[in-house]
Amino acid sequence: MKMIVAPLLRIFFRPWIEGAENIPEDGPAIIASNHLSFSDSFFLPALMKRRVTFIAKAEYFNTPGLKGKLTAAFFKGVGQLPVDRSGVRGAGEAAIRSAIAVIESGELFGVYPEGTRSPDGKLYRGKVGGLARVALATGAPVIPVAMIDTEKVQPPGQVVPNFGIRPGIRIGRPLDFSRYHGMENDRFILRSVTDEVMYEIMRLSGQEYVDIYATAAKRQIAEDKKRADSERKAEQKAVKAQQEAEKKAAAELAAEKDEKPE
């Protein structure tokens, strides 16, 4: 990542970074970032001087096929931690314990509080779970990070990136939540911590904030698309039926003319 991917990213995309001085040279910290594109997992860790260990959805590790194997190899190679998002809390207990172990070993732990990529470039409500619980359990500072324009480099669902886009990373000052240490089981405190981090990410990124979860927004977008497709098909069917009726009427009229005696 550091020796091969980072130089290539700098050559082809010339990414910029602001606030790099807010990343401590040593010691533990939590990197909390918005999530606009799959390419975030390349730009963010590649441009950091220190290694950042993120949690990644389990599908990246167990998807079948050649693409799935290559994806799993990449995420394992850069030290990512798989998390099963099907559980009630979203982030599995095992992943949270692993994240705490990363912090306790003095490393950087990264997390996307939204839990998934933004479907439309907006910033969505942070999930109560991994971020706040790890921060309060360890006392590690939380560093808000904003990825800029990475969704233009690689929009959701697109494999080949768009060149000519210069993405960026804006890093905010560390947030100290040590005042809540030991209160990681208080859901109201967890929500307060998460919302404070999301506010800082919004301020850094300039994104429009939507106070619903990104997963709910994705479902709504999918439902709207399905409804629009259904309406479009119904309209096309109606137009076709009308055209057939007009064609039939014209044929019947022509037949009547042929039957009349001259």
Side-chain angles (χ1 to χ4, degrees), residues 70-136:
L70 292 175
T71 301
F74 165 75
F75 279 99
K76 290 177 181 178
V78 295
Q80 307 306 285
L81 304 174
V83 54
D84 183 0
R85 301 185 302 172
S86 63
V88 175
R89 296 186 180 182
E93 293 294 330
I96 292 177
R97 289 195 298 270
S98 297
I100 292 175
V102 171
I103 293 296
E104 291 179 343
S105 64
E107 300 177 21
L108 298 180
F109 170 69
V111 62
Y112 298 119
E114 293 168 279
T116 187
R117 284 173 286 178
S118 170
D120 53 11
K122 297 176 183 178
L123 184 68
Y124 287 89
R125 194 181 195 197
K127 287 192 172 184
V128 173
L131 166 63
R133 288 181 63 189
V134 173
L136 300 189

